[in-house]
Amino acid sequence: MPEENVIIQLSIFVNNEPGRLAAIARTLKESNVNMKAFNLAESAEFGILRAIVDDPEESFEKIRQKGIIVKKTQVIGIVINDAPGSLFDAADVCGREGINIEYGYAYAGKNLSAFFIRVDEPHRAVTALKEAGIALVKGTDI
Amino acid sequence: MFWNSEIECLPKEGLRKLQYGSIKSLISKLYSSNAFYRHKMDSVNVKPDDIRSLSDISKLPFMTKQEFRDNYPTKMFSVPNTDIVRYHVSSGTTGKPTLVGYTRKDLDYWTDALARSLTSIGIGEDDTLQVSYGYGLFTGGLGLHYGAERVGASVLPASTGSTERQLELMQDLEVTAIACTPSYFIHIMDVAKEIGIDFLRDTKLRKAILGAEPWSEGMRKRIEESSGIRAYDIYGTSELAGPMFTECEERNGIHICGDMAYIETVDPDSGEPLESGEKGELVITMLKKEAFPLVRYRIRDLSAVYDDVCACGRSSPRIARISGRSDDMLIVRGINVFPSQIEYALMQVPQVGNQYMIVLTRDGALDNMVVQVEINPEYFSDKVKDMISLRSHIESELKKYLNLAVHVELKAPGELPRFDGKASRVKDKRSL
Ligand SMILES: [Zn+2]
């Protein structure tokens, strides 16, 4: 079942101006959106905030209603706490399968550390990674 | 020094009589021979006989730039195409450009106006003038070229570009004066500084005739202080002929040759004539043009007319430095752009949301136009490279519509200002 390993990330467009990120963070906090992990990609004039949150569906609606550009993106979490080198193995599997990793970022929780990766074909990636014996995060784990 | 002191220093009364006579015969001739103009006069129910004094000119309808566009290419010409000896074309960003034609006499008057202007700032046969305006469809290069030849100056037809070579020629040929846009002159100054040329020490250059784009007294001061060169303002648009009128040595307004042109100012909103000295929109009637006459043409430039006799002795009216425009036309790198055209282009691009801002800056000598757009959320991607290619796509679409390179900045919806009443979507930060 690849679905249980496909995690919903919220991607948010941020203007690269002083205070914009803080304003978005405040809006998320006021909407009780709890960010578990996040990553900010920047270009000269805009940024893209990528966040793993509690209850992504409900959070998505809350954020969208605030007039913020938000989008749901499917990512995969590679468990890295008990298997050093699993990130390399995962990248290796994707490379062999011709699956391009767009970006990734780390997550460290109480029970679990993981690395989230964004690939174009998440379902195919989940199947390939699982076949290679790599442990993946389930949506319910975080 | 005068090129034609008799006409340039004609007493006011005589000049007004001359202008009245010229307008009277121009209107009679147009009414009987030019269908376009007769129709215009009929539409406001004015006949040539209704013009009984110089001030009656205000009864005549205005001409507008739109009429040139609508009658492209030669429908407004008053002479057969066989009488045309030259064309020039001014660039706009969309639609039809403005085409102007000249008879042999038209070229002669244009050249004569420039001969008077050059003489009034002391340029004559002892001078070498480097014409660093563009040669070609643009009027600046060829206009100044023939004007300078007429006063007997040696002309260096340098056109624009190859700035280091221009500086080399300026030194080798002992150039004494240059004509170009203020922004190109600033570029020449920058290059000269870079390669260690000091104008006063290393060249004979002492005068610069600058115009064909907006500039200010502040910019003149900066140019003169850092280069040591005396700068003069020149005025004219392709509809008049091209750049043709300059300041005199007094530099107290640009002399508009009274036998060739009748200049008025009107209230930009009501179109009512203003008194001399009052700031308003310039309206010009060309008294001698043949190929296509210009009667009460609304140039859309804001200025004031001074009608006293200048300290230099010339009786022709002078106009104050152009302070802006009464429409929202922008001049970006010499190209005329209306914000409405940018808006139209943006609305053809589905990736663009509903709000935008146009920000103009000047980077050294070059104008830079940034269009900030709110993105359409449907096209948002979590990948940076997608967003960058989205931006490039919008830039290339705008380039296609506007024929002008613009930089696009992506903004989130809600980030750009909203306007209740009249939107002001242009921020012009160029220091002119
Ligand atoms: Zn004068």
Side-chain angles (χ1 to χ4, degrees):
Chain A
M1 288 293 273
E3 283 78 16
E4 61 179 11
N5 295 109
V6 171
I7 316 279
I8 298 301
Q9 160 197 289
L10 298 187
S11 311
I12 296 169
F13 183 84
V14 188
N15 280 347
N16 213 352
E17 275 164 23
R20 281 311 302 160
L21 186 60
I24 288 197
R26 193 182 324 117
T27 307
L28 298 190
K29 186 169 166 250
E30 283 165 7
S31 312
N32 294 317
V33 171
N34 186 20
M35 276 199 277
K36 298 280 192 182
F38 74 89
N39 154 271
L40 182 69
E42 281 178 285
S43 83
E45 86 251 14
F46 62 85
I48 300 167
L49 176 68
R50 296 127 174 187
I52 306 293
V53 300
D54 280 342
D55 200 343
E57 295 294 339
E58 196 191 326
S59 298
F60 172 80
E61 277 308 318
K62 285 177 181 167
I63 295 169
R64 205 175 53 86
Q65 279 164 15
K66 298 283 182 183
I68 293 171
I69 296 193
V70 58
K71 187 183 154 156
K72 289 181 266 188
T73 311
Q74 297 182 331
V75 295
I76 300 166
I78 299 174
V79 178
I80 52 173
N81 48 343
D82 49 30
S86 54
L87 181 57
F88 169 77
D89 293 340
D92 193 40
V93 170
C94 289
R96 271 188 279 118
E97 292 288 328
I99 295 167
N100 182 37
I101 300 176
E102 286 289 340
Y103 57 82
Y105 51 99
Y107 162 77
K110 279 196 205 90
N111 313 314
L112 154 105
S113 295
F115 195 82
F116 290 101
I117 58 169
R118 161 75 157 98
V119 295
D120 279 337
E121 296 168 273
H123 288 85
R124 192 158 78 82
V126 166
T127 307
L129 290 166
K130 277 183 144 178
E131 271 172 14
I134 292 166
L136 299 180
V137 178
K138 284 183 196 153
T140 49
D141 293 343
I142 42 171
Chain B
M1 280 287 287
F2 300 95
W3 180 251
N4 182 345
S5 60
E6 196 190 333
I7 198 82
E8 291 177 68
C9 301
L10 199 64
K12 282 281 173 198
E13 204 38 53
L15 180 60
R16 290 201 185 94
K17 252 173 132 168
L18 183 74
Q19 290 180 321
Y20 172 65
S22 298
I23 287 171
K24 193 84 184 146
S25 58
L26 172 69
I27 298 305
S28 305
K29 192 176 142 212
L30 282 178
Y31 193 80
S32 61
S33 64
N34 183 309
F36 168 80
Y37 204 74
R38 180 171 54 247
H39 179 74
K40 260 183 96 78
M41 282 177 66
D42 284 344
S43 72
V44 292
N45 211 9
V46 176
K47 301 277 174 283
D49 283 346
D50 295 328
I51 309 301
R52 294 194 196 95
S53 70
L54 202 47
S55 60
D56 280 343
I57 194 172
S58 63
K59 293 177 181 167
L60 296 169
F62 293 119
M63 283 171 76
T64 63
K65 198 173 185 68
Q66 192 56 43
E67 288 171 330
F68 286 99
R69 297 222 173 93
D70 295 345
N71 291 284
Y72 179 87
T74 58
K75 273 181 257 170
M76 264 163 74
F77 285 16
S78 265
V79 298
N81 286 6
T82 48
D83 288 354
I84 301 288
V85 296
R86 191 180 319 152
Y87 294 109
H88 279 291
V89 178
S90 71
S91 41
T93 58
T94 56
K96 293 296 182 193
T98 305
L99 174 98
V100 291
Y102 306 76
T103 63
R104 198 168 295 283
K105 260 195 168 162
D106 287 336
L107 288 182
D108 191 48
Y109 279 113
W110 181 17
T111 302
D112 215 62
L114 279 164
R116 292 185 207 174
S117 297
L118 291 170
T119 307
S120 79
I121 58 176
I123 293 175
E125 50 191 16
D126 296 338
D127 287 280
T128 300
L129 180 71
Q130 183 160 343
V131 179
S132 301
Y133 276 120
Y135 278 69
L137 292 176
F138 175 59
T139 50
L142 288 169
L144 266 297
H145 182 104
Y146 288 107
E149 278 189 357
R150 182 159 295 184
V151 298
S154 316
V155 180
L156 177 63
S159 197
T160 53
S162 313
T163 307
E164 291 195 20
R165 187 164 162 69
Q166 296 224 12
L167 282 162
E168 196 185 319
L169 290 167
M170 182 186 287
Q171 290 178 291
D172 295 348
L173 299 174
E174 304 196 332
V175 165
T176 56
I178 188 169
C180 61
T181 62
S183 58
Y184 189 57
F185 190 68
I186 289 171
H187 181 66
I188 294 175
M189 281 165 52
D190 289 346
V191 175
K193 198 170 173 191
E194 243 167 62
I195 56 182
I197 292 177
D198 179 300
F199 290 111
L200 296 187
R201 186 190 63 205
D202 304 319
T203 77
K204 293 275 193 297
L205 187 75
R206 296 297 177 265
K207 288 171 182 173
I209 302 159
L210 307 178
E213 69 183 16
W215 64 309
S216 64
E217 278 307 311
M219 192 188 254
R220 161 140 68 192
K221 207 162 158 248
R222 263 172 34 205
I223 287 172
E224 295 192 334
E225 277 170 7
S226 56
S227 69
I229 303 302
R230 199 165 154 87
Y232 300 85
D233 198 5
I234 185 167
Y235 184 70
T237 70
S238 64
E239 294 91 337
L240 313 191
M244 65 192 302
F245 305 121
T246 67
E247 296 171 315
C248 63
E249 276 295 0
E250 299 294 327
R251 303 201 301 180
N252 183 24
I254 291 170
H255 281 280
I256 306 294
C257 303
D259 57 321
M260 297 190 197
Y262 181 75
I263 189 101
E264 305 168 76
T265 34
V266 300
D267 182 306
D269 298 321
S270 68
E272 289 302 314
L274 298 173
E275 295 294 316
S276 74
E278 282 186 297
K279 197 178 146 179
E281 188 186 316
L282 292 178
V283 169
I284 199 161
T285 300
M286 295 302 283
L287 303 175
K288 308 216 171 182
K289 257 160 130 300
E290 290 184 331
F292 70 103
L294 220 52
V295 178
R296 299 202 88 208
Y297 177 58
R298 294 187 74 156
I299 315 176
R300 296 284 176 186
D301 283 330
L302 297 175
S303 180
V305 174
Y306 304 117
D307 203 26
D308 53 325
V309 175
C310 181
C312 72
R314 287 175 182 81
S315 58
S316 55
R318 303 179 320 281
I319 57 168
R321 186 183 280 281
I322 305 303
S323 61
R325 289 190 55 89
S326 64
D327 59 11
D328 54 359
M329 189 180 90
L330 305 167
I331 303 175
V332 182
R333 296 195 289 274
I335 297 174
N336 300 338
V337 193
F338 286 95
S340 56
Q341 295 170 334
I342 297 174
E343 177 169 315
Y344 176 82
L346 286 172
M347 296 309 135
Q348 309 307 308
V349 185
Q351 289 84 353
V352 172
N354 291 326
Q355 298 293 331
Y356 65 94
M357 283 293 294
I358 299 160
V359 183
L360 293 164
T361 55
R362 185 162 278 162
D363 187 9
L366 263 191
D367 292 334
N368 186 26
M369 183 158 88
V370 175
V371 180
Q372 300 175 324
V373 301
E374 289 187 357
I375 62 169
N376 179 342
E378 277 177 46
Y379 292 89
F380 170 55
S381 163
D382 61 310
K383 299 180 198 170
V384 173
K385 73 167 192 232
D386 286 354
M387 294 306 283
I388 287 174
S389 70
L390 171 74
R391 185 183 61 198
S392 312
H393 172 74
I394 298 173
E395 284 174 347
S396 70
E397 287 294 297
L398 289 181
K399 174 91 203 272
K400 222 160 59 190
Y401 283 103
L402 299 173
N403 197 20
L404 178 72
V406 298
H407 296 283
V408 165
E409 280 179 12
L410 303 177
K411 298 284 172 189
E415 287 299 319
L416 292 177
R418 263 62 179 163
F419 300 97
D420 292 335
K422 197 168 178 266
S424 55
R425 292 202 162 83
V426 179
K427 270 192 220 156
D428 199 339
K429 297 179 178 172
R430 294 177 290 187
S431 53
L432 297 175

